[in-house]
Amino acid sequence: GEDVEQSLFLSVREGDSSVINCTYTDSSSTYLYWYKQEPGAGLQLLTYIFSNMDMKQDQRLTVLLNKKDKHLSLRIADTQTGDSAIYFCAVGAGANNLFFGTGTRLTVIP
Amino acid sequence: GAVVSQHPSRVICKSGTSVKIECRSLDFQATTMFWYRQFPKQSLMLMATSNEGSKATYEQGVEKDKFLINHASLTLSTLTVTSAHPEDSSFYICSAIPGQGTDTQYFGPGTRLTVL
């Protein structure tokens, strides 16, 4: 299987940028996703990237992929209190075979 | 688009009873649905992959007879927790892939099961 690692906690001040990191072990992972989970809710797809890409930007979200180091990051610009949630990275060789990280709890301090 | 619903959102039951959780794709047909379990403050654990019209594929360590999965139509999959015990209390989340050639799992809102 695949090991997917994330830091458990991150705190940032409102208005600052947040960077959530994820490392994985299987170099054949071609589908890499970021999901957001608010308390008591399911997972909301935020963004995704394919392994043939280095970067993807979508409004306040920027995903960076370092395939050599098997490192994925999610940057949230101008972080707001509504961004407080748990963020999961998920990677896999296909959409039907994903491995999830432990999740990073982002706390935004007003 | 790509909305997945689950019902119920919360259920409390007595030990020994069975509980059925429904997962529906509201605006698309899902040939493949997934059932996950999430323990408090932990990541998701894939329980089984459900394909319409065929038997579910269970992950290692997941009891097939305890967690019955039925994917009778392209928009509905059900998970039945049989003879539930307190250790089955958890957050159960389903997801679905819209059709062929789509690269994303869309998740339901989850069902919180509490077994007394």
Side-chain angles (χ1 to χ4, degrees):
Chain A
E2 164 108 68
D3 285 331
V4 184
E5 301 276 345
Q6 294 179 244
S7 298
L8 291 179
F9 303 99
L10 176 66
S11 292
V12 298
R13 292 204 176 275
E14 190 174 15
D16 288 349
S17 292
S18 307
V19 179
I20 303 170
N21 295 301
C22 173
T23 59
Y24 58 97
T25 56
D26 190 345
S27 58
S28 67
S29 295
T30 53
Y31 295 81
L32 306 105
Y33 303 86
W34 284 104
Y35 287 92
K36 176 183 180 182
Q37 186 180 34
E38 299 191 36
L43 275 71
Q44 172 196 355
L45 176 67
L46 283 180
T47 186
Y48 60 92
I49 194 169
F50 298 126
S51 60
N52 61 354
M53 302 164 66
D54 297 324
M55 184 186 84
K56 181 179 180 181
Q57 186 160 0
D58 183 3
Q59 298 183 334
R60 293 192 296 124
L61 305 178
T62 303
V63 179
L64 294 177
L65 174 61
N66 182 326
K67 200 176 172 186
K68 174 177 170 289
D69 294 340
K70 303 189 194 67
H71 182 268
L72 182 71
S73 69
L74 172 69
R75 179 177 180 269
I76 305 173
D78 187 25
T79 312
Q80 304 296 309
T81 54
D83 295 326
S84 292
I86 301 175
Y87 291 80
F88 289 93
C89 70
V91 303
N96 57 352
N97 189 21
L98 294 183
F99 294 88
F100 285 80
T102 51
T104 299
R105 182 179 295 275
L106 173 64
T107 301
V108 182
I109 304 165
Chain B
V3 178
V4 177
S5 71
Q6 279 183 243
H7 178 78
S9 58
R10 291 178 179 269
V11 57
I12 301 172
C13 69
K14 292 183 179 180
S15 187
T17 60
S18 294
V19 174
K20 180 186 284 188
I21 302 170
E22 291 185 350
C23 176
R24 292 182 186 272
S25 55
L26 297 186
D27 51 1
F28 64 96
Q29 293 185 327
T31 53
T32 305
M33 288 184 167
F34 305 87
W35 286 97
Y36 293 85
R37 184 173 177 176
Q38 185 181 32
F39 292 99
K41 299 182 180 179
Q42 294 189 29
S43 188
L44 284 75
M45 181 193 79
L46 178 65
M47 298 174 66
T49 301
S50 167
N51 291 295
E52 186 266 337
S54 63
K55 290 183 179 180
T57 302
Y58 289 82
E59 296 299 301
Q60 192 172 5
V62 179
E63 298 176 60
K64 300 178 184 180
D65 296 331
K66 176 134 186 91
F67 299 100
L68 300 178
I69 292 172
N70 184 286
H71 193 159
S73 77
L74 287 171
T75 59
L76 173 65
S77 176
T78 60
L79 167 68
T80 302
V81 183
T82 63
S83 186
H85 287 93
E87 57 265 30
D88 299 324
S89 297
S90 192
F91 194 54
Y92 293 87
I93 304 177
C94 73
S95 70
I97 296 180
Q100 299 291 335
T102 308
D103 306 313
T104 303
Q105 287 186 34
Y106 292 91
F107 285 80
T111 297
R112 168 88 46 206
L113 170 63
T114 302
V115 184
L116 302 177

